[in-house]
Amino acid sequence: MHTVAAVQMISSPSVPDNIATARRLVTQAAQDGAQLVLLPEYWAIMGLNDSDKVKVAEPLGSGPIQDFMSGLARELNIWLIGGTLPLASDDPEKVINTTLVYNPQGEHVGRYDKIHLFGFTKGTESYNESKTIVPGTHVGAFEAPFGKVGMSVCYDLRFPELFRALGPVSLIVVPAAFTYTTGMAHWEILLRARAIENQCYVLAAAQGGTHPNGRRTWGHSMLIDPWGAVKSVLAEGEGVVAGEIDLGYMQGVRDSLPALKHRTM
C-alpha cells in the first residue's frame, strides 16, 4: 500500500504567502503518512490579473518557487508534484504553465507543460488562458515506487485522448483550478470517467474557494479508485485529501474486466 495526498488551497497574489500555506499543508500530509503529495494548479500565485504570473515566472532550475519545492521534498522525504508554476517562456508576455516533479532527494525528475488552454465565456464570466500561456506539446509521466504516474492539468481533463497517449498508468494526477460554474457541472464526472476508462487511480488537487481576485474555484479535491469510486474528497477550503494506492486491487479490476486489452483503436 502507498499513501498519496492532494493539497487544496485558495491561492492569493502573494507568492511568499502561498509558499507558507503550501509548506504547512504538505507537511501535514507527510506527517499523516503520505509518500507522494500533489499541489493544485496555480498554487504559487493566483494574481489579481492574469498577467501577474508573468512577473514571477522562473527559468527552469532556479527561483524561489522551485527552490521551495525541491527543499521541501528532501526535507519531508516525499515525492512532491508541484501543481503548476509559471516557467519563463520565449515570449516575454507569456509563461509556460508547468508541473514539476521532485523525488525524496529533492531532485527534479519530471515535467509536464499544460497542453490544453482553457477558454470559457458565459455572461459576465470569461477566461482565456492563451493570452498569457504558451501551450505544451508533449505528454508527461514519471516512475514512482508504485508504478507509472501520468500527468495532466485542469482543462486537459476534457480530452481523453491525452490520457490514452500516456499508455497504462497506476495513477493519473490532475492539479486544477476549475471554475465554480464548470466544476459543479463536470469535475467529478470527468475525473471518475478517466479513472474508469484507464482502470487506474486518479488524484486531483484543486483550488477551492473565493480568491482575492474575485474568482471562485470549485474545490472538491479527491482520490478515485480504478472502479470509479470516490475514496476521499474535500469540498471547499484549505486542506488535505489522502488515501491508499492498492496495486492488487487495481490488478483485480483489470483482470475481471480487461477493457484495456479489448481496445481496438
Side-chain angles (χ1 to χ4, degrees):
M1 293 283 213
H2 302 268
T3 303
V4 298
V7 167
Q8 185 160 291
M9 291 175 61
I10 311 169
S11 293
S12 76
S14 166
V15 173
D17 287 356
N18 295 327
I19 283 177
T21 300
R23 177 182 294 282
R24 172 169 50 82
L25 293 172
V26 173
T27 300
Q28 176 189 326
Q31 287 173 344
D32 289 342
Q35 296 144 297
L36 177 148
V37 181
L38 174 68
L39 286 163
E41 184 182 27
Y42 298 137
W43 72 267
I45 181 166
M46 285 276 278
L48 294 176
N49 301 293
D50 282 349
S51 58
D52 287 359
K53 60 182 174 287
V54 180
K55 298 169 192 162
V56 299
E58 299 181 356
L60 182 64
S62 67
I65 299 171
Q66 292 169 84
D67 291 348
F68 161 73
M69 289 191 291
S70 169
L72 191 63
R74 187 172 60 248
E75 178 188 325
L76 298 174
N77 194 36
I78 58 167
W79 291 81
L80 182 62
I81 306 175
T84 67
L85 78 156
L87 273 193
S89 75
D90 293 336
D91 184 337
E93 304 292 315
K94 296 183 179 183
V95 302
I96 309 165
N97 195 18
T98 298
T99 301
L100 295 180
V101 183
Y102 297 88
N103 68 15
Q105 289 75 48
E107 298 162 337
H108 166 223
V109 293
R111 172 179 176 178
Y112 168 67
D113 301 338
K114 184 179 184 179
I115 290 174
H116 300 97
L117 302 184
F118 183 54
F120 176 74
T121 304
K122 187 175 183 182
T124 58
E125 198 176 3
S126 181
Y127 303 95
N128 182 2
E129 288 189 325
S130 64
K131 283 183 177 177
T132 54
I133 296 173
V134 178
T137 54
H138 303 288
V139 297
F142 68 96
E143 289 293 332
F146 49 81
K148 188 176 173 184
V149 178
M151 294 189 278
S152 66
V153 177
C154 200
Y155 191 51
D156 284 334
L157 188 56
R158 295 182 183 273
F159 301 89
E161 62 274 18
L162 170 72
F163 301 90
R164 287 301 203 204
L166 291 165
V169 294
S170 300
L171 174 68
I172 288 167
V173 292
V174 190
F178 250 65
T179 71
Y180 190 86
T181 306
T182 59
M184 188 190 304
H186 301 145
W187 171 248
E188 182 180 318
I189 198 167
L190 288 173
L191 287 170
R192 293 177 72 186
R194 297 298 87 87
I196 293 164
E197 69 201 8
N198 295 293
Q199 297 186 315
C200 67
Y201 286 87
V202 171
L203 181 67
Q207 296 281 350
T210 302
H211 302 264
N213 62 12
R215 180 172 171 181
R216 188 177 181 191
T217 44
W218 176 240
H220 292 79
S221 298
M222 62 180 74
L223 177 68
I224 301 161
D225 77 14
W227 194 244
V230 177
K231 306 304 288 182
S232 183
V233 64
L234 174 62
E236 261 195 312
E238 290 178 0
V240 176
V241 163
E244 304 287 344
I245 302 288
D246 184 341
L247 295 179
Y249 177 76
M250 182 177 75
Q251 194 57 51
V253 168
R254 294 179 178 186
D255 289 345
S256 61
L257 180 65
L260 294 177
K261 291 179 180 174
H262 292 160
R263 290 177 58 205
T264 61
M265 62 185 81

